[in-house]
Amino acid sequence: MDSMMMDSMKSMDMMPGMEAMDMALMQACMDACSACEQACTVCATQMMDCSPACMNCADMCNTMMRAMMRMQGMTPAVMMSMLDACMAMCQLCMDMCMKHEAHSEVCRMCAAACKACMDACMAMRASMMAA
Amino acid sequence: MDSMMMDSMKSMDMMPGMEAMDMALMQACMDACSACEQACTVCATQMMDCSPACMNCADMCNTMMRAMMRMQGMTPAVMMSMLDACMAMCQLCMDMCMKHEAHSEVCRMCAAACKACMDACMAMRASMMAA
Amino acid sequence: MDSMMMDSMKSMDMMPGMEAMDMALMQACMDACSACEQACTVCATQMMDCSPACMNCADMCNTMMRAMMRMQGMTPAVMMSMLDACMAMCQLCMDMCMKHEAHSEVCRMCAAACKACMDACMAMRASMMAA
Amino acid sequence: MDSMMMDSMKSMDMMPGMEAMDMALMQACMDACSACEQACTVCATQMMDCSPACMNCADMCNTMMRAMMRMQGMTPAVMMSMLDACMAMCQLCMDMCMKHEAHSEVCRMCAAACKACMDACMAMRASMMAA
């Protein structure tokens, strides 16, 4: 996510509670979701037993990324529920891809992208709890 | 979702715990997600203050529907987390559209589709807890 | 797509040329896209050599369906270009799934859904050319 | 798209004709699609008259990006048809957002992202014609 575009998001009206969000963490989280969607999409085309989890993870990460870009249609409580779902899905996808890390470079990169996405979601969720 | 296609899903390998799912409830839930995605997509184009919530809800419902079709890449715990996120998003979208029910027939239909989707997700989640 | 929701779409403002579209054909086309997305999503999880084409077809059909629901952001020329892309993708997915029709019921159903979607897109495109 | 992930894509089996694609142009095109999806998603939440076109453009760009990541399920002919649809959609979205460039910074950035995506698709299409 481009930082100029990010700045412009801040100027739009938001729902109560959303204006307190840490925009730097959110930008990092959107980028991690985007990278994870891409890694999962490539990994899913390998047609290994992780593929269906990768497809689910790609869709969930795209939905999560878009939701962070639409703060006008979101509350902190719904955002946290979606972050939980996204972290759970990333964890499952990572676990499945890790089983192939010895022989598939794509799975290894996909697992790393899932881990980075999970961490970014966790950091964002923690900052929302603290707010 | 076509019942013949649904039957064929049952014959694929699933992760532990997924084979116990109530397929009739899941079929109803997928159909409710699909209807909700469609209603939200139409409602979002009205460019009212519910639009961003409708866009989020359409994406979440599509992701939820697809995840139910890929039981090979899902565990009961992750499924429940996604159902929670989907219900939370439908509730928010419904609440925002309900404010316009007096003057927008589209918002009234969208709120009804969100309610039906929420109910279907709840029924499915309850059956998973009981299993 | 619910016919009441469909009726309400007609009352929204449209771009020049879009108001001449045959709404019955469009409703049939949206339903065929939705059914095709679902069939392709299930078929893709089988992890056969048709899976990547099924994933592409599921995404294209969802994008096509949503575009038909947003006639405020569309012109006849762009719609026809998207219909061409959707038909081309459905044809490829159908061809790949047909190779497995003897031993996979899911592939057979997916090919049928692709064929139906292609036909519905063709009918809609033809009516737009005639308008 | 990460260049290491991109390299790994090249090692997967592809359909006839796809192996001749210019991978540097494709990487640039995927990145432009991703940036355009993000800009359009933000722009759509402004609820201006460009919003429905932005929603369509976001969906088409995501579908285009994912299709480039799944070269196992694609032929050059289908890819060119999808590139045509993506360019047509980007052009329309750009035209609508350009009307607001004087008073909306978000629309100006969205129009620029649409233009960059159109150019990247055009470069890729031209290289495919030459191949």
Side-chain angles (χ1 to χ4, degrees):
Chain A
M1 162 111 270
D2 182 82
S3 63
M4 275 180 62
M5 186 60 83
M6 189 80 196
D7 285 342
S8 65
M9 281 174 58
K10 284 187 273 189
S11 63
M12 296 190 205
D13 286 336
M14 291 177 201
M15 287 204 172
M18 295 301 282
E19 72 287 347
M21 288 183 65
D22 184 317
M23 298 299 271
L25 286 179
M26 200 163 78
Q27 186 161 0
C29 194
M30 287 188 287
D31 289 340
C33 283
S34 177
C36 191
E37 180 193 4
Q38 294 183 12
C40 287
T41 301
V42 174
C43 195
T45 64
Q46 295 185 106
M47 291 168 278
M48 295 165 72
D49 66 2
C50 56
S51 293
C54 294
M55 295 178 220
N56 282 334
C57 198
D59 287 347
M60 187 67 229
C61 286
N62 181 260
T63 292
M64 188 75 246
M65 179 192 76
R66 289 183 172 203
M68 284 185 275
M69 291 171 172
R70 299 175 185 134
M71 289 197 293
Q72 299 74 15
M74 192 50 78
T75 62
V78 177
M79 182 69 86
M80 283 193 275
S81 184
M82 287 184 69
L83 286 167
D84 286 340
C86 192
M87 286 186 281
M89 192 61 240
C90 285
Q91 173 84 59
L92 175 60
C93 188
M94 182 184 77
D95 291 346
M96 296 199 71
C97 288
M98 287 284 271
K99 291 179 195 164
H100 311 137
E101 66 173 336
H103 53 276
S104 165
E105 194 187 5
V106 174
C107 285
R108 200 162 52 246
M109 285 188 283
C110 185
C114 289
K115 175 72 167 64
C117 187
M118 226 168 32
D119 288 348
C121 288
M122 182 67 81
M124 198 171 136
R125 199 191 193 294
S127 79
M128 292 176 78
M129 291 298 282
Chain B
M1 162 110 273
D2 182 82
S3 62
M4 275 178 63
M5 186 59 85
M6 189 81 196
D7 286 341
S8 64
M9 282 173 59
K10 284 187 271 188
S11 63
M12 296 190 206
D13 285 336
M14 292 177 200
M15 287 204 171
M18 295 301 282
E19 71 287 347
M21 288 184 66
D22 184 318
M23 298 298 274
L25 286 179
M26 199 163 79
Q27 186 161 2
C29 194
M30 288 188 285
D31 289 340
C33 283
S34 177
C36 191
E37 180 192 3
Q38 295 183 9
C40 287
T41 301
V42 174
C43 196
T45 64
Q46 295 185 106
M47 290 168 279
M48 296 166 71
D49 66 3
C50 55
S51 294
C54 294
M55 295 179 222
N56 282 333
C57 198
D59 287 347
M60 187 67 227
C61 285
N62 182 261
T63 292
M64 188 76 245
M65 179 192 76
R66 288 182 172 205
M68 284 185 275
M69 291 170 172
R70 298 173 186 137
M71 290 198 293
Q72 298 75 13
M74 190 51 78
T75 61
V78 177
M79 182 70 86
M80 282 192 275
S81 185
M82 287 185 69
L83 286 167
D84 286 341
C86 192
M87 285 186 280
M89 192 61 240
C90 285
Q91 173 84 60
L92 174 60
C93 187
M94 182 183 76
D95 290 346
M96 297 199 73
C97 288
M98 286 284 271
K99 291 180 193 163
H100 311 138
E101 65 173 336
H103 54 278
S104 166
E105 194 187 5
V106 173
C107 284
R108 200 162 53 246
M109 285 187 282
C110 185
C114 289
K115 176 72 166 64
C117 187
M118 226 168 33
D119 289 348
C121 289
M122 182 68 81
M124 198 171 135
R125 199 189 193 297
S127 79
M128 292 176 78
M129 292 298 282
Chain C
M1 160 114 272
D2 183 80
S3 63
M4 276 179 62
M5 186 59 84
M6 189 81 197
D7 286 341
S8 64
M9 281 173 59
K10 285 187 271 189
S11 63
M12 297 190 205
D13 285 336
M14 291 177 201
M15 288 204 169
M18 295 300 283
E19 71 287 348
M21 288 183 63
D22 184 317
M23 298 298 272
L25 286 178
M26 199 164 79
Q27 186 161 1
C29 195
M30 287 189 285
D31 288 340
C33 283
S34 177
C36 192
E37 180 193 3
Q38 295 183 11
C40 288
T41 301
V42 174
C43 196
T45 63
Q46 294 185 107
M47 291 167 279
M48 295 167 70
D49 66 2
C50 55
S51 293
C54 293
M55 295 179 221
N56 282 333
C57 198
D59 286 348
M60 187 67 227
C61 286
N62 181 261
T63 292
M64 188 74 246
M65 179 192 76
R66 288 182 173 205
M68 285 185 274
M69 291 171 172
R70 299 175 185 135
M71 291 198 292
Q72 299 75 14
M74 192 49 78
T75 62
V78 178
M79 182 70 85
M80 282 192 275
S81 184
M82 286 184 70
L83 287 166
D84 286 339
C86 192
M87 286 185 282
M89 192 61 240
C90 285
Q91 173 84 61
L92 174 60
C93 187
M94 183 183 77
D95 291 346
M96 297 199 72
C97 288
M98 286 284 271
K99 290 180 195 165
H100 311 136
E101 65 173 336
H103 53 277
S104 165
E105 194 187 3
V106 173
C107 285
R108 201 161 53 244
M109 286 188 282
C110 185
C114 289
K115 176 73 166 62
C117 186
M118 227 166 35
D119 289 347
C121 289
M122 182 67 81
M124 197 170 137
R125 198 188 194 297
S127 78
M128 292 176 77
M129 292 297 283
Chain D
M1 160 111 274
D2 182 81
S3 63
M4 275 178 63
M5 186 60 84
M6 189 82 196
D7 287 341
S8 65
M9 281 173 58
K10 283 187 272 189
S11 63
M12 295 190 207
D13 285 336
M14 292 177 201
M15 287 202 172
M18 295 300 283
E19 71 287 347
M21 289 183 64
D22 184 318
M23 297 299 273
L25 286 179
M26 198 163 79
Q27 186 161 2
C29 195
M30 287 189 286
D31 288 341
C33 283
S34 178
C36 192
E37 180 193 4
Q38 294 183 11
C40 287
T41 301
V42 174
C43 196
T45 63
Q46 294 185 106
M47 291 168 279
M48 296 167 71
D49 67 2
C50 56
S51 293
C54 294
M55 295 178 222
N56 282 333
C57 198
D59 286 347
M60 187 67 227
C61 286
N62 181 261
T63 291
M64 188 75 244
M65 178 192 77
R66 288 182 173 205
M68 284 185 275
M69 291 171 173
R70 298 174 186 135
M71 290 197 293
Q72 299 74 14
M74 191 50 79
T75 62
V78 178
M79 182 69 87
M80 282 193 275
S81 185
M82 287 184 69
L83 286 167
D84 286 340
C86 192
M87 286 186 281
M89 192 61 240
C90 285
Q91 174 83 60
L92 175 59
C93 187
M94 182 183 76
D95 291 346
M96 296 199 72
C97 288
M98 287 283 272
K99 291 180 193 163
H100 311 137
E101 65 173 337
H103 54 278
S104 165
E105 193 188 5
V106 173
C107 285
R108 198 162 55 246
M109 286 187 283
C110 185
C114 289
K115 176 74 166 62
C117 186
M118 227 166 34
D119 290 347
C121 289
M122 182 67 82
M124 197 171 137
R125 199 190 192 297
S127 78
M128 291 176 77
M129 292 298 282

